[in-house]
Amino acid sequence: MTDEPSIRIAVIGSGPAGFYAAGHLLKDSAGRFEVDMLERLPTPWGLVRSGVAPDHPKIKSVTRIYEKTAANPRFRYFGNITFGEHISRAELMEHYHAIVYATGSPSDRPLGIPGEDLPGSHAATEFVGWYNGHPDHTALEVDLLSAERAVVIGNGNVALDVARMLVLAPAELAPTDTADHALEVLAASRVREVLVVGRRGPAQAAFTNPELLELGELADADVIVDKAELELALAAQDAAAEADITSRRNVEILRSYAERPVSSSDRKRIVLRFLLSPSAFTPDEHGRLGAVELVRNELAPAPGGGLRAQATDERETITAGLAFRAIGYRGIALPGVPFDERSAVIPNDGGRVRDPDSGAPLAGEYVVGWIKRGPSGVIGTNKKDAQETVDAMLADLCAPSGRNGDSPANGGPAHVPSDPDPASVEELLRARQPELVTYAGWEAIDRHERSLGEPAGRPRVKLTRIEELLRIAASEQP
Ligand code: NAP
């Protein structure tokens, strides 16, 4: 510990990236940092709570690491606080030496084709939020009772999560923390067939080996791959894919699926299709999604290397009452913070936020996770990513001259807050948001949810409405 006053950091967002950044800062052996984490929802953990599929409980156990960070006496959690609404960027700069933006990529990328807003067509982000009990998506109406076929657009892990969730057997879903409203609808679902459609080939798919293997192990569903389509899609030479171990293993797994005999017709099916792009979603006679029109692609060299999908004249129409667009997440601009519309990230150099005009680093502003690098990588990727940003912060804020506001020789500029008193910012936040949720409030929610889940052998029963979450948080927090 040092006698110097602490370096006070505000982390905006409580997902993996925010928690890894907080953890790295608090590990500083000189104990120089104090971290306040501001989160829009009452609950922490970001996509670990509202993105990771409910049948992947092991992945969620990463929160134990974040709980250790939260237990540090130099850490505070302020939930139910919206950046830009309850407190502005300029106000935070008055109270903290630095802000770390860790707000992820909460939105979806549109396909930009006719009919994508028809009822029955959903962004995967909404559907994932819905089955995971994210308060923003509880009201989503997913009609699983009319359609027998769903089409999932995209070849990433989110596409596979969505496909799997649509065909999991009630017995597979029962022991999970799937939101209760979704459990009921999924149990009554009439969906029998899910087509997962990739615009390029199997060697270029973004999904990973364990997720692809899982499709072959489902209790109630077969995985179907057409051998001829698979081999056609593998015909183009792709040196990068051939050198990639994940891609090579994906191809092996897909070839093994193509050899599998199709079992009894009463089982559900996940059908993996390749070299197809949706060109339009068309309505049925009730104005709901009725069919997905697809164009056949071939693979052509891309200008920057690799292979891109190039449309041919061949078309195909697939009757489907449901479609899920799983073509990637997208970042959202934060009020007053630089944002690059094209890449949907906060412009930065290794985590130092850059002035979009001059390109120079902005004093006291940093970024981590998907809003720094775009929506790629697994949860653990954010650990290394946050380390890079924290290293830049250490260079800027801990260099001898940095805390005086001078530019340290070895880093970007530092920032000196006018009112770094921890009590003062808490008072301001409580005045702006009387229903602020502290970490003790979250722990009350956590205990409550776990106790609801226990009798049924479930990890938890999630509270999905903000009022409910606030009521339980208020019952125990000071
Ligand atoms: P992703 O991995 O980037 O995959 C996006 C997919 O959408 C790609 O197949 C891409 O094809 C396709 N796509 C993009 N634009 C398209 C268009 N206009 N038309 C048709 N297809 C299009 O994104 P994600 O699935 O959203 O996943 C985000 C990140 O979270 C990934 O890093 C993923 O691994 C991770 N994640 C991990 C897990 C897990 O570990 N179990 C679960 C979920 C998510 P192209 O390649 O041709 O662009």
Side-chain angles (χ1 to χ4, degrees):
M1 282 291 208
T2 138
D3 291 338
E4 294 246 357
S6 296
I7 305 177
R8 301 206 18 84
I9 310 295
V11 175
I12 314 301
S14 67
F19 262 100
Y20 284 123
H24 292 323
L25 287 165
L26 293 172
K27 246 187 256 152
D28 167 57
S29 57
R32 291 169 290 196
F33 290 95
E34 285 178 3
V35 175
D36 286 351
M37 185 173 274
L38 278 58
E39 163 59 50
R40 183 173 71 90
L41 294 176
T43 54
W45 314 148
L47 281 183
V48 177
R49 179 172 165 99
S50 64
V52 172
D55 62 333
H56 285 169
K58 262 202 204 139
I59 299 183
K60 295 184 198 227
S61 63
V62 69
T63 56
R64 289 195 205 114
I65 296 168
Y66 312 150
E67 281 164 358
K68 280 195 189 131
T69 298
N72 190 308
R74 287 176 285 128
F75 175 91
R76 299 190 298 181
Y77 175 79
F78 297 130
N80 204 26
I81 294 286
T82 302
F83 175 89
E85 183 185 323
H86 298 113
I87 192 157
S88 68
R89 167 187 184 243
E91 287 169 327
L92 285 172
M93 293 302 272
E94 287 170 21
H95 293 282
Y96 294 95
H97 292 83
I99 307 175
V100 180
Y101 302 107
T103 49
S105 308
S107 186
D108 61 293
R109 290 185 53 226
L111 278 165
I113 60 169
E116 82 176 295
D117 295 323
L118 284 171
S121 160
H122 300 281
T125 47
E126 301 169 342
F127 182 60
V128 169
W130 172 77
Y131 63 62
N132 273 319
H134 191 298
D136 286 357
H137 301 296
T138 44
L140 186 75
E141 285 182 22
V142 196
D143 181 4
L144 300 182
L145 302 181
S146 310
E148 291 200 4
R149 182 181 292 128
V151 174
V152 181
I153 309 294
N155 256 186
N157 281 329
V158 171
L160 297 195
D161 279 351
V162 166
R164 207 177 60 254
M165 284 300 290
L166 286 167
V167 300
L168 279 183
E172 288 170 307
L173 280 170
T176 71
D177 65 0
T178 306
D180 278 358
H181 58 245
L183 269 183
E184 273 172 39
V185 178
L186 289 164
S189 170
R190 288 187 59 225
V191 173
R192 310 293 308 162
E193 183 172 275
V194 181
L195 260 67
V196 180
V197 174
R199 66 175 167 182
R200 298 192 290 158
Q204 293 79 34
F207 44 66
T208 42
N209 305 153
E211 286 67 23
L212 183 58
L213 276 170
E214 244 179 321
L215 295 189
E217 294 159 4
L218 298 171
D220 266 8
D222 290 330
V223 58
I224 315 256
V225 178
D226 178 75
K227 198 173 173 179
E229 187 175 69
L230 183 74
E231 295 306 330
L232 175 72
L234 284 168
Q237 288 286 307
D238 184 344
E242 278 156 32
D244 182 80
I245 190 164
T246 300
S247 166
R248 286 207 309 270
R249 180 74 185 119
N250 274 345
V251 170
E252 266 173 39
I253 298 166
L254 287 161
R255 282 195 163 125
S256 75
Y257 288 162
E259 295 299 334
R260 280 191 184 184
V262 180
S263 51
S264 74
S265 58
D266 62 342
R267 284 172 61 77
K268 296 178 192 172
R269 300 148 56 101
I270 293 182
V271 185
L272 302 175
R273 302 284 314 268
F274 297 99
L275 294 182
L276 292 169
S277 284
S279 51
F281 290 174
T282 53
D284 65 8
E285 65 278 21
H286 309 294
R288 296 184 52 82
L289 177 68
V292 176
E293 288 179 6
L294 298 156
V295 57
R296 163 81 50 205
N297 296 323
E298 56 193 11
L299 294 174
L307 296 176
R308 67 184 172 87
Q310 182 171 286
T312 67
D313 293 334
E314 212 181 307
R315 318 239 148 205
E316 185 173 335
T317 299
I318 291 174
T319 315
L322 279 167
F324 298 91
R325 308 173 314 262
I327 62 164
Y329 286 71
R330 189 179 154 82
I332 297 180
L334 295 167
V337 180
F339 188 69
D340 181 86
E341 280 296 338
R342 201 187 45 82
S343 52
V345 299
I346 295 175
N348 70 92
D349 274 329
R352 288 186 178 101
V353 177
R354 262 194 299 112
D355 182 309
D357 300 324
S358 70
L362 292 173
E365 287 182 274
Y366 299 87
V367 61
V368 290
W370 280 7
I371 195 66
K372 169 187 176 185
R373 65 174 198 277
S376 68
V378 293
I379 290 167
T381 313
N382 295 297
K383 189 173 179 187
K384 196 161 163 248
D385 171 290
Q387 187 66 62
E388 179 191 45
T389 298
V390 167
D391 287 346
M393 295 176 74
L394 291 171
D396 297 349
L397 302 171
C398 299
S401 55
R403 293 168 70 186
N404 305 323
D406 303 334
S407 278
N410 57 343
H415 160 77
V416 180
S418 54
D419 181 10
D421 177 13
S424 152
V425 70
E426 182 171 358
E427 202 179 307
L428 175 70
L429 290 171
R430 285 188 185 278
R432 299 269 174 83
Q433 173 51 291
E435 294 185 294
L436 178 149
V437 176
T438 63
Y439 200 72
W442 153 246
E443 286 176 316
I445 295 170
D446 191 33
R447 274 194 303 278
H448 182 80
E449 290 186 339
R450 286 179 192 279
S451 69
L452 292 178
E454 208 183 324
R458 297 171 66 190
R460 65 179 66 239
V461 172
K462 282 182 181 167
L463 304 183
T464 60
R465 293 198 338 268
I466 297 286
E467 316 79 76
E468 250 181 322
L469 289 160
L470 293 180
R471 189 171 55 76
I472 301 300
S475 65
E476 293 208 29
Q477 70 185 13

